[in-house]
């Protein structure tokens, strides 16, 4: 039988004939091998072990003969049938990407603030010192302008224009805060103003669990007549309870920013701890003057919150570097 099967495989000239031969000898239902297997039951128990060994050898040899013929035909014309392709096997799922957690957070925050009437505004990431500092009431000798705390873009042109490497004052930089967008909006629009701006900011911090040289802020600006600190606190409370939950408390601590007066640090209490999320305050009259608003007529508040901090707090992420590692094991959880 073994020789007969091998000869049948051998003489098959195309894939179809080979398949027919395979069914004849190796077929699971009616194959010759199956018949032999059935006869095993009738064999004397003392001979059964020996018969089993011979049956297995027979099976292996017929299988080998079949595979040899299969690869012989595979090399030539296989009659258009790919014997190695099994259409009944489940397919391989293509990996589908999704939106980065920080982008998801930005969308979520924009939506919450949008419900309170805040429109999204944008500004460039490469800024001039006027928008990043001067119009925000940050004078030339202020430590916030230190080259060690900012990514200045010392192009050959800016160095040549200043005549020396010391002339950093006129040099463009990667914005260190989204407060730049406050200025850009007020330069082009008249009150009432109700905007937020979500975007990247850059500071040369060494990366650790809570610092990264690039991160995101959500800036808020509200300018109208009779805007007060109570409006600021209300908007931030509504925001925080919408984003984190009803059990959130909010706390202001006195602080200082050149572009707000008074200024506060904003803390939210959630899941048992107070965490600082950013700064805020009433827009300083000097800022209104820089953009041509009358500080006797208008008042306003501004705030800047850390987007990563909000995202990490909500999703219990403990290391900011995970957000920017590109590690799919981390990212695919969002
Ligand atoms: N720009 C400030 C910072 O980056 C935050 C801030 C924004 C403070 C608006 C007050 C008003 O730290």
């Amino acid at each position: 039988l073994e020789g007969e099967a091998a000869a049948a495989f051998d003489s098959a000239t195309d894939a179809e004939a080979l398949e027919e031969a395979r069914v004849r000898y190796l077929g699971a239902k009616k194959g010759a091998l199956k018949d032999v297997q059935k006869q095993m039951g009738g064999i004397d128990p003392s001979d059964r072990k020996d018969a089993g060994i011979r049956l297995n050898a027979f099976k292996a040899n017929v299988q080998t003969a079949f595979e040899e013929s299969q690869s012989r035909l595979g090399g030539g014309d296989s009659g258009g049938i790919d014997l190695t392709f099994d259409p009944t096997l489940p397919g391989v799922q293509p990996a589908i990407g999704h939106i980065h957690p920080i982008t998801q957070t930005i969308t979520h925050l924009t939506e919450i603030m949008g419900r309170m009437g805040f429109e999204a505004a944008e500004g460039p990431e490469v800024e001039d010192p006027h928008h990043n500092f001067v119009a925000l009431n940050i004078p030339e000798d202020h430590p916030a302008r230190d080259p060690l705390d900012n990514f200045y873009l010392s192009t050959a042109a800016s160095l040549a224009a200043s005549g020396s490497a010391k002339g950093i004052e006129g040099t463009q930089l990667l914005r260190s805060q989204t407060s730049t967008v406050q200025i850009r909006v007020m330069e082009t629009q008249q009150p009432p103003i109700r905007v937020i701006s979500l975007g990247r900011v850059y500071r040369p911090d060494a990366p650790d669990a809570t610092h990264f040289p690039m991160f995101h802020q959500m800036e808020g600006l509200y300018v109208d007549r009779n805007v007060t600190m109570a409006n600021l606190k209300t908007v931030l409370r509504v925001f925080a309870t919408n984003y984190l939950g009803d059990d959130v408390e909010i706390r202001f601590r006195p602080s200082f920013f050149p572009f707000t007066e008074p200024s506060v640090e904003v803390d939210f209490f959630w899941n048992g701890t107070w965490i600082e999320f950013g700064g805020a305050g009433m827009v300083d009259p000097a800022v209104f003057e820089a953009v041509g608003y009358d500080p006797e007529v208008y008042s306003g508040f501004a705030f800047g919150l850390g987007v990563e901090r909000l995202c990490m707090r909500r999703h219990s992420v403990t290391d900011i570097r995970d957000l920017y590692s590109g590690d799919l094991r981390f990212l695919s959880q969002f």
Side-chain angles (χ1 to χ4, degrees), residues 239-301:
F239 162 73
T241 49
N242 268 278
Y243 186 63
L244 294 172
D246 286 336
D247 49 344
V248 172
E249 286 177 55
I250 179 169
R251 174 173 83 181
F252 282 175
R253 280 177 296 117
S255 185
F256 176 80
F257 298 101
F259 36 92
T260 47
E261 181 58 37
S263 303
V264 294
E265 306 280 346
V266 182
D267 299 343
F268 296 142
F269 183 82
W270 189 58
N271 274 2
T273 36
W274 284 101
I275 294 203
E276 185 194 318
F277 282 92
M282 301 306 292
V283 179
D284 194 292
V287 173
F288 281 150
E289 270 158 22
V291 297
Y293 285 7
D294 185 349
E296 297 295 326
V297 178
Y298 295 111
S299 57
F301 66 69

Side-chain angles (χ1 to χ4, degrees), residues 136 138 176-180 182 201 203 215 217-220 256-260 262-265 276 278-283 301-305:
L136 287 164
I138 304 174
S176 61
Q177 50 186 353
T178 45
S179 301
T180 54
Q182 289 184 37
V201 299
R203 296 177 193 177
F215 59 100
Q217 289 186 324
M218 174 168 76
E219 192 82 12
F256 176 80
F257 298 101
F259 36 92
T260 47
S263 303
V264 294
E265 306 280 346
E276 185 194 318
M282 301 306 292
V283 179
F301 66 69
F303 60 82
L305 306 181

Side-chain angles (χ1 to χ4, degrees), residues 80-104:
I81 299 169
D82 180 359
L83 292 169
T84 58
F85 176 71
D86 182 349
T88 64
L89 283 177
V92 180
Q93 283 278 355
I96 295 177
H98 67 286
I99 296 177
H100 190 276
I102 287 299
T103 313
Q104 290 184 31

